[in-house]
Amino acid sequence: MYRLHPVTKVVIVIASIIVASICPLVCLIAFLTFVASLSAVGMEFAKFLRIMRSALTIILVLALFTLLYGVLSTHSPRIILEASFTQGVIIGSIKLLKLMLSFAVLFSTTRPQSIVRMLSKLRVPYKYTYILVLAIRYMSILMSDFQEIYDVQAIRGLRIDSGSTLMRIRNTLSLFIPLIVASTDRLNDMSIVLEVKGFGLSKHRSYAFVEKVNLMDIVVIALIPLVVIGPHLALNLVK
Amino acid sequence: MPRDLCRAGDAIVFNDVSFSYSNGFALSDLSFTIRSGELALIMGPNGSGKTTVLKLMAGILKPSSGDVYLCGINTKRVKLSEVAKYVGYVPQNPWMAFFNNTVFNEIAYVARNIGLSKEEYEARVLEVSTWLNIAHLLQRSPHSLSEGEARRVSIAAAVTHDPSIVLLDEPTAGLDYLNKVDYVNIVQKAVLRRGRTVVMSSHDIDLLTLFPEAKVILLNNGRLSFNGYIRDLLSRAHLLLSNKLLPPAAIALSTYLNELLGIGAEGREPSVEELIERTVLRKDVIGELICS
């Protein structure tokens, strides 16, 4: 996956969105298997397992809440036994897993600079691509700031899981207000640094290294329609 | 758990403590004790594990093996919110903790959390803010404070609930010498003189001269390099150098002069007459040193 051109990975993401929007279950499963196999083979297996574990946890929680919402809104636990309802939850979960996996693969195997270069080739203004890259890079900083704030507030006796609703909201604010303040400070520093470095003065950019499309990219892109349409056609032929 | 539990005996005990992060950095087999009422400096170069040790002391991190005892209580067996009753934590960046609308509420936050009555915490806030000369700031927003004011408020917020142990993470980072001296005075006034145990993590070597009675725990690469008092550490200035820390200028000069005059080379202190004789013999070098 690391060797694939960023455009190939973006094509996988776009295909993933299209398949999730319009394709039937069999195509969904086929495409999910394709992306999962590519990821399992093309990146560190531990990393792949970590991505799958996180995605599955989120999906499981969402699925459980959807089932719970179904039960509460119909006032009947029998809704879980309804084939259409359960099928809907399963299909939704598969779509979500496929989208999460595609995006996770794109962002965890592509360097931000590669995304910038790719978007520049697609004539997206550098200013906007840089905003995207900063946002990607900023996630890890945000997470580490959040952890630090959480630790500091925890040692100050913060309890998010107990007390009245008002108290819980107040306690949650104790995490987000310092995070917003720290982030604003950091963004202010960053904008000063960019201005001092003359960001945006030159319209023309050159790159020391440019990724090239290779045979593997062509094979993967060619496989996408086969994987999506193939099982659907095969199923129709059998019928 | 009574908040004054720890006013005698051992305040903090590290018993063969090891800890590792997922990125591979590890602390290994740390064992030391900090007595109640003592001031301890956790020192070491960047990346030596100072903040990790402080977080283990605060109960934020739990050791992978070994035990950390705060006032005789194993941190593995208590909730962090329980530890808050007898530990005050001053973060390196005060703004990481501020979220209340006024300085008063910020200072009273922990005292409220641990269940002090309104009368009790109001009296404590007033008392602490008077010690720290921040009583005039109580109705201001914490986000409108200057760096120095924010640091004072941060200390006040950590001591209002009268904890037995106060932990300060890199308290003098970014301060010039005079502000450091001012900060030391605040710590002595608000914390040390009231019999609390104070632990500071820092790589600021000036603290050694500002707190001459302190205990020093010197770390290097996650291991304990020295555990003792400043006077013992300064008499072995090479230990600081081998741990990537420059000794304070006065100590460096004194060590240089001792070597120059051969003090301690014979394994005994020279007599006054011998010292005068050696100084006269090397007066050229000493004169040059003073001139330069």
Side-chain angles (χ1 to χ4, degrees):
Chain A
M1 292 304 280
Y2 293 95
R3 284 191 215 149
L4 286 182
H5 194 279
V7 168
T8 312
K9 287 180 251 184
V10 171
V11 169
I12 294 175
V13 169
I14 293 169
S16 193
I17 295 168
I18 295 169
V19 170
S21 312
I22 54 170
C23 291
L25 182 62
V26 63
C27 301
L28 275 178
I29 293 172
F31 195 75
L32 175 64
T33 315
F34 172 66
V35 178
S37 321
L38 262 185
S39 318
V41 175
M43 60 200 286
E44 302 91 328
F45 197 63
K47 196 174 187 175
F48 169 71
L49 285 182
R50 223 170 28 240
I51 291 173
M52 286 297 277
R53 196 177 54 207
S54 315
L56 285 171
T57 310
I58 295 168
I59 288 163
L60 192 70
V61 171
L62 284 175
L64 284 175
F65 271 98
T66 314
L67 290 173
L68 191 67
Y69 177 74
V71 171
L72 291 176
S73 59
T74 56
H75 303 289
S76 161
R78 285 190 185 171
I79 186 82
I80 298 172
L81 303 172
E82 295 267 341
S84 57
F85 180 72
T86 316
Q87 202 181 2
V89 173
I90 292 169
I91 292 175
S93 302
I94 293 172
K95 284 181 179 179
L96 208 55
L97 178 63
K98 187 167 54 62
L99 287 171
M100 286 169 99
L101 191 59
S102 316
F103 276 101
V105 164
L106 170 67
F107 290 116
S108 64
T109 62
T110 316
R111 291 187 307 161
Q113 300 95 304
S114 305
I115 296 175
V116 167
R117 279 191 290 270
M118 179 200 68
L119 292 173
S120 296
K121 288 266 175 208
L122 297 173
R123 302 207 177 274
V124 177
Y126 184 70
K127 206 159 112 181
Y128 300 114
T129 56
Y130 197 73
I131 290 171
L132 177 73
V133 170
L134 277 185
I136 296 167
R137 282 191 183 152
Y138 196 64
M139 285 307 290
S140 60
I141 298 172
L142 206 64
M143 292 300 287
S144 100
D145 277 355
F146 184 81
Q147 187 60 50
E148 196 179 334
I149 291 164
Y150 184 83
D151 290 345
V152 169
Q153 300 297 18
I155 195 67
R156 295 177 81 200
L158 168 84
R159 286 179 196 153
I160 290 179
D161 51 354
S162 61
S164 64
T165 312
L166 195 68
M167 188 56 81
R168 284 179 197 209
I169 294 170
R170 186 181 158 74
N171 286 342
T172 312
L173 281 180
S174 75
L175 299 176
F176 286 99
I177 291 177
L179 188 66
I180 292 166
V181 172
S183 306
T184 314
D185 278 352
R186 223 183 270 278
L187 288 176
N188 186 38
D189 289 347
M190 174 62 84
S191 65
I192 291 170
V193 168
L194 286 176
E195 274 190 51
V196 168
K197 287 183 171 180
F199 179 82
L201 286 181
S202 164
K203 298 291 170 207
H204 177 73
R205 300 199 68 84
S206 59
Y207 299 99
F209 173 75
V210 179
E211 292 88 353
K212 288 192 178 105
V213 176
N214 57 34
L215 183 67
M216 184 67 85
D217 293 294
I218 297 165
V219 171
V220 169
I221 291 174
L223 276 175
I224 291 173
L226 287 180
V227 169
V228 176
I229 302 164
H232 189 57
L233 287 177
L235 216 63
N236 281 346
L237 282 175
V238 170
K239 278 179 187 171
Chain B
M1 189 182 300
R3 279 179 293 126
D4 57 353
L5 187 76
C6 203
R7 294 285 153 93
D10 292 335
I12 301 168
V13 177
F14 268 52
N15 197 0
D16 283 330
V17 171
S18 295
F19 178 83
S20 59
Y21 287 103
S22 54
N23 66 6
F25 173 77
L27 290 177
S28 27
D29 302 327
L30 292 188
S31 292
F32 59 83
T33 303
I34 297 169
R35 295 188 61 75
S36 290
E38 206 164 39
L39 166 69
L41 301 174
I42 312 282
M43 304 207 83
N46 290 340
S48 57
K50 302 184 292 292
T51 301
T52 307
V53 166
L54 214 65
K55 284 185 174 175
L56 283 162
M57 282 179 184
I60 294 169
L61 300 175
K62 309 287 179 197
S64 315
S65 67
D67 295 292
V68 176
Y69 294 92
L70 290 180
C71 309
I73 294 151
N74 193 329
T75 56
K76 281 180 185 168
R77 304 213 172 106
V78 283
K79 279 186 180 173
L80 198 49
S81 50
E82 194 67 20
V83 174
K85 290 181 184 172
Y86 53 104
V87 171
Y89 185 78
V90 183
Q92 184 180 353
N93 177 357
W95 281 279
M96 283 290 189
F98 294 166
F99 76 99
N100 285 284
N101 54 345
T102 62
V103 167
F104 179 92
N105 287 336
E106 200 59 63
I107 297 175
Y109 180 70
V110 185
R112 275 184 190 146
N113 273 346
I114 65 165
L116 293 195
S117 69
K118 191 168 184 261
E119 294 74 32
E120 216 175 342
Y121 73 68
E122 278 181 354
R124 290 285 304 153
V125 170
L126 287 178
E127 190 187 0
V128 171
S129 54
T130 310
W131 298 339
L132 294 167
N133 296 331
I134 50 169
H136 61 290
L137 303 173
L138 290 178
Q139 293 314 314
R140 291 240 319 252
S141 158
H143 295 288
S144 68
L145 302 176
S146 70
E147 175 83 30
E149 288 169 342
R151 281 178 192 254
R152 283 169 188 255
V153 170
S154 192
I155 294 183
V159 300
T160 304
H161 62 296
D162 198 18
S164 303
I165 300 169
V166 179
L167 307 173
L168 299 101
D169 189 11
E170 300 274 2
T172 55
L175 294 183
D176 60 40
Y177 189 78
L178 285 179
N179 273 315
K180 264 182 227 172
V181 173
D182 188 35
Y183 195 88
V184 166
N185 288 334
I186 293 168
V187 171
Q188 277 171 336
K189 205 197 290 185
V191 188
L192 276 170
R193 283 185 200 152
R194 285 168 170 81
R196 296 186 178 102
T197 308
V198 179
V199 183
M200 292 186 193
S201 79
S202 180
H203 58 254
D204 183 355
I205 213 71
D206 285 337
L207 287 177
L208 295 180
T209 49
L210 293 170
F211 290 111
E213 300 299 318
K215 180 171 194 168
V216 181
I217 289 148
L218 190 58
L219 298 173
N220 194 359
N221 219 6
R223 290 176 183 277
L224 194 63
S225 261
F226 176 83
N227 171 19
Y229 290 88
I230 288 183
R231 55 182 178 275
D232 305 321
L233 178 65
L234 295 183
S235 65
R236 287 185 276 168
H238 65 276
L239 245 178
L240 287 170
L241 286 168
S242 63
N243 286 291
K244 300 174 195 160
L245 294 170
L246 270 181
I251 303 301
L253 181 64
S254 141
T255 310
Y256 177 73
L257 286 173
N258 281 348
E259 280 169 12
L260 193 73
L261 300 174
I263 297 171
E266 308 94 333
R268 65 175 177 85
E269 289 293 314
S271 65
V272 178
E273 290 76 19
E274 279 176 314
L275 264 181
I276 293 170
E277 194 187 330
R278 289 180 204 177
T279 312
V280 170
L281 280 174
R282 304 307 309 263
K283 67 180 178 191
D284 50 335
V285 184
I286 294 170
E288 218 172 273
L289 193 73
I290 291 167
C291 287
S292 64

